[in-house]
Amino acid sequence: MTAVSLGIPAVPPRGFGNISELEPFPKYAKRELGNAQQRRNLTHATHTIRDKRLKVVSELPDWEALRDAGSAIKTEAMERLPELLAQFEEQFTARGGTVHWARDAAEANRIVEELIRAAGPDETGPDENSGATEVVKVKSMATQEIGLNEYLEERGIAAFETDLAELIVQLGHDKPSHILVPAIHKNRTEIRDIFLREMPGVDPDLTDEPRRLAMAARAHLRAKFLSARVAISGANFGIAETGTLGVVESEGNGRMCLTLPETLITVMGIEKVLPRAEDLGVFMQLLPRSSTGERMNPYTSLWTGVTPGDGPQNVHVVILDNGRTRALADRHGRSALHCIRCSACMNVCPVYERAGGHAYGSTYPGPIGAILSPLLTGIEAEENKSLPYASSLCGACFDACPVKINIPEILVHLRGEDVEERRSKPGARRLPSQFDLAMTGASWAMSDGARMGLLERGLPLGKAAAGRYGVISKLPGIGAGWTQSRDIPAPPAESFRQQWKKRDGSRPATDRPATEGESK
Ligand code: SF4
């Protein structure tokens, strides 16, 4: 066993790879909003999955207790991470597997390439020293994060995605736009067109019937499964107690990759480790219900090292940091590492539903991407600054998250960090902006009942400004940004407090001095 030290350095290294915006979120999102077909596809798909999820979640009377248990296990795992990773390595190695450690994307890619080369030539290689030139892949967020496919392609190794949606994205020279359903932005006619254009030997009379599309993909992939000598996977879980890795999936392509080739290489983020095998009992209930809206996953594969004569005989795991210790060092943001990549937060997010996944730039879109990407790179990385603002803070993501990650709270924390970082830059503007002044004024007024009451006396003015149509369509100064794309409804003639006073005949509790036993 190698010595492992995951003690948090003073300045933890940032992550690299496909975890950065290509351009600021508002700019990309504005363009995507013009794609009406994509918006229709997204609305249909997210609402379908959302309804299925609600149905299966409501079947469980102890759903909230399960969420609490999932959250508690993840908190424990993060607190004991160095010890658990060392235990995982010991167990995995004792059962015939090999553990490799990668600080960042570049190191992980290099390790995987070396392992593929060491696996020996395959049928398609140019000579016997070339090593394998084709590998099959199980859907994996970690390998997308590090840009493994692009890295291998540049070095003459073709990585074939075997998950149907990933295959569609790969053949379409596109990027995934959803964690679970990477081709969610495509409808079946668009998929048929991609297959006809890009899939070698496909039936030219292929229709957009889902069954025909699946049969075409199956025929295309089967040859790859049978010839590949190397498979690459991610991992949903790594069990420290036993050195076991686990992958859950729906199509059986994962099972083929995990059992047929001679060499199996798994890339796993450090945060995927769980203390005990029994912890799976919690996550195997939380994950399928939250992701695909199913009671259990069709395929759950668990493997522990090497079994002589059965399955892959060279089993490797590359344990990846790539900014995770940086996220772990942020005590407000570290719970983002609890994420089990179910995608429930995406399916309920009004911003994601309209902007789509590509607008986030990173491999991780939606609410979790808006916190995880800046945590991995650091908010000071220019390319991820706008992501924490890609949210209305409605809180739907927090309600849906099976491990109770308080995404809105982390978004606000990251926004605060961004503001502080801008202010600390040499030459930063010292005078308060219009926005600063407006917020300071609002804070002053709202923190005192009497001041708030005074402000509310201006409500009739707002009503008058709304005119006979009852909307305010143009505000001056920084307010203009708000009314640029929406109207403000006319304020009511009376505030809630004024109405309360009339109904109750007394002043609201906040205006009264506290009586004994009443806290204010
Ligand atoms: S943040 Fe929560 S809801 Fe979103 S993908 Fe992760 S586990 Fe699922």
Side-chain angles (χ1 to χ4, degrees):
M1 189 182 100
T2 56
V4 178
S5 170
L6 284 173
I8 297 168
V11 183
R14 60 158 288 182
F16 291 94
N18 297 328
I19 47 173
S20 302
E21 291 177 295
L22 303 173
E23 58 185 310
F25 180 86
K27 215 168 151 195
Y28 205 137
K30 193 170 182 185
R31 217 171 36 250
E32 295 290 274
L33 285 172
N35 186 342
Q37 180 65 54
Q38 174 172 287
R39 286 177 63 180
R40 271 195 296 277
N41 296 350
L42 279 170
T43 303
H44 174 71
T46 53
H47 283 244
T48 305
I49 306 173
R50 192 194 296 189
D51 293 346
K52 277 178 76 181
R53 174 190 163 274
L54 277 177
K55 193 161 166 267
V56 292
V57 162
S58 63
E59 291 172 356
L60 290 185
D62 60 347
W63 179 249
E64 286 308 313
L66 269 173
R67 290 178 76 205
D68 285 334
S71 174
I73 294 167
K74 283 289 184 178
T75 304
E76 179 196 348
M78 292 307 109
E79 281 170 3
R80 296 176 54 207
L81 198 52
E83 169 206 339
L84 291 177
L85 285 170
Q87 187 185 9
F88 177 86
E89 181 184 40
E90 188 182 339
Q91 294 300 322
F92 193 79
T93 307
R95 288 164 171 79
T98 309
V99 174
H100 310 261
W101 298 88
R103 266 170 292 222
D104 56 23
E107 208 164 37
N109 284 333
R110 186 177 47 72
I111 293 169
V112 173
E113 184 199 355
E114 284 170 8
L115 292 172
I116 295 171
R117 302 260 182 235
D122 55 24
E123 291 166 13
T124 54
D127 60 64
E128 61 183 20
N129 299 318
S130 67
T133 53
E134 289 190 352
V135 298
V136 285
K137 277 189 72 207
V138 188
K139 179 175 165 0
S140 143
M141 302 306 297
T143 58
Q144 274 173 29
E145 174 189 320
I146 61 175
L148 181 64
N149 288 10
E150 302 92 302
Y151 176 91
L152 293 178
E153 194 181 342
E154 283 167 15
R155 286 154 183 82
I157 300 169
F160 291 96
E161 295 290 350
T162 63
D163 171 86
L164 179 55
E166 290 287 358
L167 176 69
I168 293 164
V169 168
Q170 188 177 43
L171 289 175
H173 310 288
D174 199 354
K175 283 177 61 180
S177 63
H178 190 276
I179 286 180
L180 190 76
V181 199
I184 196 169
H185 55 294
K186 298 281 181 208
N187 64 23
R188 61 196 210 189
T189 309
E190 291 171 305
I191 294 166
R192 191 265 324 263
D193 294 345
I194 291 172
F195 281 12
L196 285 175
R197 206 173 55 236
E198 303 284 344
M199 194 178 267
V202 74
D203 177 0
D205 295 325
L206 182 68
T207 67
D208 65 2
E209 189 192 340
R211 195 179 69 90
R212 296 281 308 274
L213 294 172
M215 282 169 65
R218 184 178 297 157
H220 169 74
L221 289 172
R222 187 143 298 234
K224 304 292 176 202
F225 287 133
L226 294 175
S227 64
R229 299 190 58 190
V230 179
I232 298 171
S233 82
N236 291 95
F237 310 104
I239 309 294
E241 184 183 49
T242 55
T244 301
L245 290 168
V247 162
V248 295
E249 40 118 11
S250 300
E251 298 167 14
N253 64 302
R255 182 68 58 79
M256 301 284 267
C257 292
L258 299 169
T259 51
L260 290 177
E262 290 164 26
T263 298
L264 174 59
I265 306 165
T266 301
V267 180
M268 176 181 83
I270 55 172
E271 81 284 15
K272 293 296 175 70
V273 75
L274 294 177
R276 301 157 291 264
E278 68 181 24
D279 297 331
L280 281 179
V282 172
F283 291 103
M284 297 316 288
Q285 294 183 74
L286 288 173
L287 183 54
R289 283 183 160 84
S290 303
S291 55
T292 50
E294 293 168 306
R295 294 185 185 94
M296 63 184 288
N297 286 97
Y299 293 88
T300 298
S301 301
L302 300 169
W303 67 102
T304 308
V306 175
T307 304
D310 185 11
Q313 298 300 293
N314 307 310
V315 176
H316 300 267
V317 61
V318 181
I319 300 181
L320 176 72
D321 184 332
N322 205 34
R324 285 161 174 79
T325 48
R326 187 185 188 99
L328 194 63
D330 184 331
R331 67 190 174 90
H332 300 290
R334 69 170 56 159
S335 62
L337 295 176
H338 297 184
C339 176
I340 55 172
R341 311 280 191 264
C342 72
S343 78
C345 56
M346 256 152 265
N347 299 330
V348 297
C349 177
V351 177
Y352 174 85
E353 188 183 323
R354 284 156 185 82
H358 291 159
Y360 295 79
S362 163
T363 294
Y364 303 106
I368 182 62
I371 57 172
L372 189 58
S373 307
L375 282 165
L376 293 177
T377 60
I379 193 73
E380 65 278 10
E382 199 55 45
E383 61 269 28
N384 276 337
K385 272 184 181 314
S386 69
L387 286 180
Y389 299 93
S391 169
S392 65
L393 300 180
C394 69
C397 49
F398 183 27
D399 288 344
C401 179
V403 286
K404 291 195 167 178
I405 300 172
N406 192 337
I407 295 176
E409 198 173 275
I410 300 176
L411 285 166
V412 172
H413 158 66
L414 289 172
R415 290 179 189 187
E417 277 205 336
D418 175 44
V419 171
E420 287 308 318
E421 202 263 333
R422 282 173 211 260
R423 282 186 179 153
S424 66
K425 276 191 177 155
R429 189 172 50 179
R430 296 286 168 229
L431 287 175
S433 65
Q434 272 191 59
F435 189 76
D436 291 335
L437 290 174
M439 286 296 124
T440 309
S443 159
W444 178 80
M446 289 180 182
S447 58
D448 181 277
R451 288 182 213 140
M452 194 63 197
L454 211 62
L455 205 68
E456 286 166 359
R457 292 203 190 148
L459 283 177
L461 280 178
K463 197 164 170 56
R468 65 189 172 107
Y469 295 112
V471 289
I472 300 171
S473 304
K474 207 164 184 175
L475 282 176
I478 51 163
W482 179 267
T483 49
Q484 199 177 12
S485 49
R486 54 179 93 68
D487 293 328
I488 299 181
E494 286 181 322
S495 70
F496 173 78
R497 291 147 51 93
Q498 289 161 338
Q499 291 178 42
W500 179 273
K501 211 185 248 183
K502 269 191 194 163
R503 275 175 65 110
D504 195 43
S506 65
R507 288 181 301 152
T510 47
D511 284 356
R512 283 185 274 119
T515 53
E516 203 179 337
E518 182 184 351
S519 68
K520 283 199 85 176

